[in-house]
Amino acid sequence: MADAKKLFIKTYGCQMNVYDSERMAEAMGAEGYVTTDSVEDADMVLLNTCHIREKASEKLYSDLGRLKPLKQGKPDLKIGVAGCVAQAEGAEIQRRMPMVDIVVGPQAYHRLPAMARASGPSVDTDFPAEDKFDHLPQRKANRGPTAFLTVQEGCDKFCAFCVVPYTRGAEVSRTPARLLAEARDLVARGVREITLLGQNVNAWHGEGGWGLGRLIREMVAVPGLDRIRYTTSHPGDMADDLISAHAEVPQLMPYLHLPVQSGSDRILKAMNRKHTADHYLRLIQRIRAARPDILLTSDFIVGFPGETDADFQATLDLVRAVGFGMAYSFKYSARPGTPAAERPPVADDLADARLQELQALITAQQRAAQEAMVGREVSVLYEKAGRLPGQMVGKSQHLMAVHVDDAQGRIGDLVRVRVSASASNSLAAVRIPD
Ligand code: 5AD
Ligand code: SF4
């Protein structure tokens, strides 16, 4: 038998790309490809790209530049570009970089195997009617204890800064029957924790008026599914049933990523976010009433066009009022085709200074949230062995990384531990005997 062909995948950007990369790797597995960590060994290189900010987008072209000598020395090497840059720029990528053989947008991944078999260059950025995931074969092999599961794609919110509604298209929900079948299959392959993914995951809906809260309740009935999470949510779509699921479903982890972007009503309006700072704070109150130990995380954009010092102070005030466990903050990046890109930008050095100030506050809150865990009992799902002998690493219910001295521990064990110390990005803990 000939040696298997080797596929190298690099994934940029969000967790939905991580899930898509796994599914593409499985589909290419059916074509005789095995994945490799070494780009030099690869017969096919697939770059699964992100378009959310200019920097993420530009990485594609610098990586392609670095691949040039490899392709020159190995003309049979196939180079594919997938993801949101592929969707946004399409054939333009091949014009700029003729070495690229395949350009495939996020809704056309089921066509990747055929594109890889074809000899000439090909581009597919359609939004076909069929669900690509139904046409992407899955392996039955065992896998690690945590998995992503995309339940919803696309976004209808049209925040003024964001390319997602254009690159991923309109909101589409996968059906409950398919999602429950996929969850059962994942659990049969060793998964104990599933993170439901969607660009706007809490807008997911199924037939008969099902919302995400109902889907979560049905999914945790799958025996062996011990933990469930979901991301990313919009504050406008936190339905009562989803909030009450946080109170009533023990397998639903006390963690919520709820991007707010800004604390200034003026800026929120200009961003077309359709909520005010006060709406957000009241929503947080209701969520905390349902699940008092919930850890909240968020996304922020600083330097949005028109942002004044007073607007930025309102963002800092909101951060202080909520107390986040962690948050991502970004400097506004004007994206072609979005309404905000038409507006005059904030001076770069001012945006930089605001970003630093916000990040310092967020870092302090993250430290405080971790410190507050010291001495407490938490549950940890082991994901891998630690760097030290006899050490295991996993995530707590609050998604904090925890290092545990546990010579008997195995990947996939769900254990009780007592937190002994907090380091910059993780906790140390001691196993509590069963
Ligand atoms: N500039 C900076 N940050 C952005 N985000 C989305 N679009 C932009 C942009 N044009 C951020 C938002 C979003 C996260 C995924 O990326 O905070 O929640
Ligand atoms: Fe982009 Fe999220 Fe706004 Fe949708 S809700 S447009 S994905 S920032």
Side-chain angles (χ1 to χ4, degrees):
M1 204 178 94
D3 280 351
K5 285 181 278 182
K6 296 202 174 77
L7 170 66
F8 174 89
I9 304 189
K10 179 167 176 182
T11 306
Y12 313 65
C14 68
Q15 291 152 327
M16 300 196 60
N17 270 6
V18 175
Y19 177 79
D20 288 346
S21 289
E22 282 172 11
R23 294 296 301 264
M24 286 191 278
E26 295 194 352
M28 294 307 289
E31 299 286 309
Y33 282 85
V34 295
T35 51
T36 174
D37 293 335
S38 149
V39 67
E40 285 80 18
D41 286 349
D43 300 288
M44 178 169 173
V45 173
L46 191 59
L47 304 173
N48 192 6
T49 59
C50 172
H51 195 59
I52 197 94
R53 286 167 290 275
E54 190 179 356
K55 256 197 205 142
S57 224
E58 281 304 314
K59 259 192 218 140
L60 166 66
Y61 291 102
S62 57
D63 281 352
L64 284 174
R66 270 200 295 275
L67 284 173
K68 228 183 212 162
L70 196 65
K71 173 90 174 180
Q72 276 158 356
K74 205 172 169 184
D76 287 345
L77 175 70
K78 276 205 186 292
I79 298 189
V81 176
C84 293
V85 181
Q87 188 63 42
E89 298 184 7
E92 180 59 32
I93 296 172
Q94 279 169 336
R95 267 194 289 278
R96 218 169 132 180
M97 290 282 185
M99 62 190 262
V100 172
D101 301 287
I102 295 170
V103 176
V104 60
Q107 303 313 325
Y109 291 157
H110 50 307
R111 297 181 182 158
L112 178 65
M115 294 170 87
R117 265 180 254 129
S119 50
S122 50
V123 177
D124 192 337
T125 53
D126 281 357
F127 284 96
E130 71 266 21
D131 179 345
K132 65 184 170 192
F133 295 126
D134 289 347
H135 301 271
L136 279 170
Q138 276 186 291
R139 263 183 310 215
K140 294 291 162 204
N142 281 354
R143 44 171 305 155
T146 64
F148 293 133
L149 172 49
T150 292
V151 304
Q152 177 280 335
E153 276 194 273
C155 183
D156 298 341
K157 290 277 187 281
F158 290 92
C159 297
F161 50 81
C162 187
V163 289
V164 166
Y166 312 97
T167 56
R168 292 268 172 170
E171 287 175 6
V172 178
S173 296
R174 299 181 65 202
T175 66
R178 286 184 183 136
L179 295 170
L180 291 168
E182 194 166 330
R184 273 185 228 108
D185 178 60
L186 287 168
V187 171
R189 293 160 67 193
V191 169
R192 301 186 74 171
E193 172 179 315
I194 292 180
T195 302
L196 307 178
L197 298 181
Q199 256 98 31
N200 202 9
V201 72
N202 56 354
W204 178 88
H205 55 276
E207 307 97 0
W210 279 34
L212 189 67
R214 174 75 187 265
L215 180 67
I216 287 169
R217 289 168 208 263
E218 300 286 335
M219 218 170 248
V220 298
V222 174
L225 181 60
D226 297 305
R227 288 174 154 194
I228 194 161
R229 308 177 186 275
Y230 60 94
T231 198
T232 286
S233 300
H234 188 283
D237 292 321
M238 286 301 298
D240 291 348
D241 183 46
L242 183 57
I243 296 176
S244 64
H246 278 284
E248 293 157 11
V249 179
Q251 296 93 333
L252 179 56
M253 293 293 101
Y255 179 96
L256 176 62
H257 183 62
L258 196 59
V260 61
Q261 314 297 355
S262 169
S264 153
D265 289 345
R266 223 174 55 80
I267 294 298
L268 288 168
K269 192 160 196 299
M271 286 177 164
N272 191 31
R273 288 287 295 177
K274 304 186 184 89
H275 62 79
T276 62
D278 190 51
H279 279 139
Y280 186 83
L281 293 172
R282 277 186 286 136
L283 179 60
I284 296 292
Q285 261 178 5
R286 286 174 53 219
I287 295 165
R288 280 186 166 148
R291 184 77 204 231
D293 68 336
I294 200 160
L295 189 109
L296 293 157
T297 68
S298 199
D299 291 342
F300 293 90
I301 294 177
V302 300
F304 185 81
E307 185 187 69
T308 63
D309 274 335
D311 294 319
F312 177 63
Q313 289 306 319
T315 296
L316 296 176
D317 288 345
L318 180 139
V319 174
R320 288 189 199 100
V322 174
F324 290 101
M326 199 270 300
Y328 299 100
S329 46
F330 308 101
K331 189 163 77 167
Y332 170 73
S333 167
R335 306 306 289 128
T338 59
E342 312 292 318
R343 305 183 50 191
V346 165
D348 213 36
D349 52 347
L350 195 58
D352 280 330
R354 287 178 187 164
L355 186 64
Q356 272 193 16
E357 194 174 346
L358 177 59
Q359 284 180 342
L361 176 60
I362 289 168
T363 304
Q365 292 195 340
Q366 182 183 342
R367 294 256 158 85
Q370 286 188 195
E371 289 291 339
M373 294 293 162
V374 176
R376 281 177 54 183
E377 193 183 314
V378 301
S379 80
V380 177
L381 177 60
Y382 290 155
E383 292 176 21
K384 57 182 184 192
R387 240 177 293 154
L388 304 176
Q391 190 186 53
M392 297 301 293
V393 188
K395 300 273 166 42
S396 72
Q397 58 271 53
H398 296 112
L399 209 59
M400 291 177 181
V402 187
H403 297 256
V404 187
D405 289 321
D406 184 355
Q408 264 74 55
R410 284 166 317 172
I411 292 170
D413 286 352
L414 182 60
V415 301
R416 305 292 307 170
V417 304
R418 188 165 308 280
V419 178
S420 52
S422 165
S424 59
N425 269 314
S426 65
L427 301 173
V430 179
R431 172 104 185 239
I432 297 170
D434 296 326

